[in-house]
Amino acid sequence: MDISSDSKLIITSSADKNIKIWGLDFGDCHRSLFAHDDTVTQVQFEKGTHYFWSVSKDKLVKYWDGDKVGLFPAHFHVFTSCRYLT
Protein backbone atom coordinates (compact mmCIF):
# COMPACT_ATOMS: atom_id res chain seq x y z
CA MET A 1 0.00 0.00 0.00
CA ASP A 2 1.20 3.51 -0.75
CA ILE A 3 -0.22 7.04 -0.81
CA SER A 4 0.64 9.49 -3.59
CA SER A 5 2.74 12.47 -2.55
CA ASP A 6 -0.18 14.84 -3.24
CA SER A 7 -2.38 12.71 -0.92
CA LYS A 8 -5.03 12.23 -3.62
CA LEU A 9 -4.59 8.51 -4.37
CA ILE A 10 -3.83 5.33 -2.49
CA ILE A 11 -2.81 2.07 -4.18
CA THR A 12 -3.20 -1.37 -2.68
CA SER A 13 -1.93 -4.78 -3.76
CA SER A 14 -3.17 -8.23 -2.89
CA ALA A 15 -2.77 -11.98 -3.23
CA ASP A 16 -5.68 -12.04 -5.71
CA LYS A 17 -3.30 -10.55 -8.36
CA ASN A 18 -5.07 -7.19 -8.36
CA ILE A 19 -4.09 -3.59 -7.73
CA LYS A 20 -6.71 -1.11 -6.63
CA ILE A 21 -6.45 2.66 -6.99
CA TRP A 22 -8.50 4.54 -4.40
CA GLY A 23 -9.41 8.21 -4.07
CA LEU A 24 -8.60 9.63 -0.67
CA ASP A 25 -11.22 12.37 -0.93
CA PHE A 26 -14.24 10.02 -0.71
CA GLY A 27 -12.52 6.65 -0.19
CA ASP A 28 -13.95 5.26 -3.42
CA CYS A 29 -12.24 2.73 -5.69
CA HIS A 30 -11.25 4.52 -8.91
CA ARG A 31 -9.93 1.45 -10.67
CA SER A 32 -9.32 -2.24 -10.06
CA LEU A 33 -6.60 -3.74 -12.25
CA PHE A 34 -5.91 -7.41 -12.88
CA ALA A 35 -2.22 -6.59 -12.69
CA HIS A 36 -0.17 -9.77 -12.46
CA ASP A 37 -0.32 -13.55 -12.87
CA ASP A 38 0.59 -14.16 -9.22
CA THR A 39 0.44 -12.39 -5.84
CA VAL A 40 1.22 -8.66 -6.01
CA THR A 41 3.63 -8.23 -3.12
CA GLN A 42 4.20 -4.46 -3.16
CA VAL A 43 3.26 -1.20 -4.87
CA GLN A 44 4.91 2.21 -4.58
CA PHE A 45 4.33 5.66 -6.08
CA GLU A 46 7.09 7.74 -7.60
CA LYS A 47 7.39 10.94 -5.60
CA GLY A 48 5.55 13.89 -7.14
CA THR A 49 3.58 11.78 -9.66
CA HIS A 50 0.76 9.28 -9.97
CA TYR A 51 3.15 6.79 -11.63
CA PHE A 52 3.79 3.68 -9.59
CA TRP A 53 5.60 0.35 -9.60
CA SER A 54 4.21 -3.05 -8.73
CA VAL A 55 6.15 -6.18 -7.82
CA SER A 56 4.79 -9.71 -8.01
CA LYS A 57 5.70 -13.32 -7.49
CA ASP A 58 5.16 -13.74 -11.25
CA LYS A 59 8.74 -12.41 -11.63
CA LEU A 60 7.71 -9.07 -13.12
CA VAL A 61 8.04 -5.47 -12.07
CA LYS A 62 5.41 -3.32 -13.77
CA TYR A 63 5.27 0.43 -14.18
CA TRP A 64 1.86 2.10 -14.12
CA ASP A 65 0.15 5.46 -14.54
CA GLY A 66 -2.84 6.32 -12.34
CA ASP A 67 -4.94 6.92 -15.49
CA LYS A 68 -3.18 4.90 -18.21
CA VAL A 69 -1.70 1.43 -18.07
CA GLY A 70 2.02 1.21 -18.83
CA LEU A 71 4.23 -1.84 -18.53
CA PHE A 72 7.93 -2.11 -17.82
CA PRO A 73 9.08 -5.77 -17.72
CA ALA A 74 12.09 -6.29 -15.49
CA HIS A 75 14.50 -9.02 -14.47
CA PHE A 76 13.42 -12.64 -14.40
CA HIS A 77 13.88 -13.24 -10.68
CA VAL A 78 11.28 -13.50 -7.94
CA PHE A 79 10.70 -10.04 -6.47
CA THR A 80 8.98 -9.57 -3.14
CA SER A 81 9.45 -5.83 -2.57
CA CYS A 82 10.48 -2.61 -4.26
CA ARG A 83 11.65 0.85 -3.31
CA TYR A 84 11.84 3.84 -5.63
CA LEU A 85 15.03 5.80 -4.98
CA THR A 86 15.47 9.40 -6.07
Side-chain angles (χ1 to χ4, degrees):
M1 177 194 74
D2 197 21
I3 299 172
S4 62
S5 57
D6 63 2
S7 298
K8 291 185 178 181
L9 297 177
I10 186 170
I11 48 175
T12 59
S13 60
S14 67
D16 68 1
K17 308 170 190 173
N18 290 297
I19 293 172
K20 292 193 186 222
I21 304 170
W22 304 85
L24 284 175
D25 50 357
F26 296 104
D28 57 324
C29 182
H30 288 196
R31 182 176 281 184
S32 182
L33 305 166
F34 181 76
H36 287 272
D37 292 328
D38 204 341
T39 300
V40 183
T41 56
Q42 189 171 359
V43 288
Q44 184 169 357
F45 279 108
E46 283 188 30
K47 188 175 181 178
T49 72
H50 286 168
Y51 301 125
F52 64 92
W53 298 88
S54 64
V55 178
S56 172
K57 289 184 179 179
D58 66 5
K59 302 178 184 175
L60 291 175
V61 172
K62 294 186 178 183
Y63 185 60
W64 305 87
D65 184 307
D67 298 316
K68 299 175 185 175
V69 178
L71 172 63
F72 177 73
H75 307 287
F76 291 96
H77 301 287
V78 175
F79 290 95
T80 57
S81 65
C82 65
R83 180 106 180 138
Y84 178 74
L85 303 173
T86 57

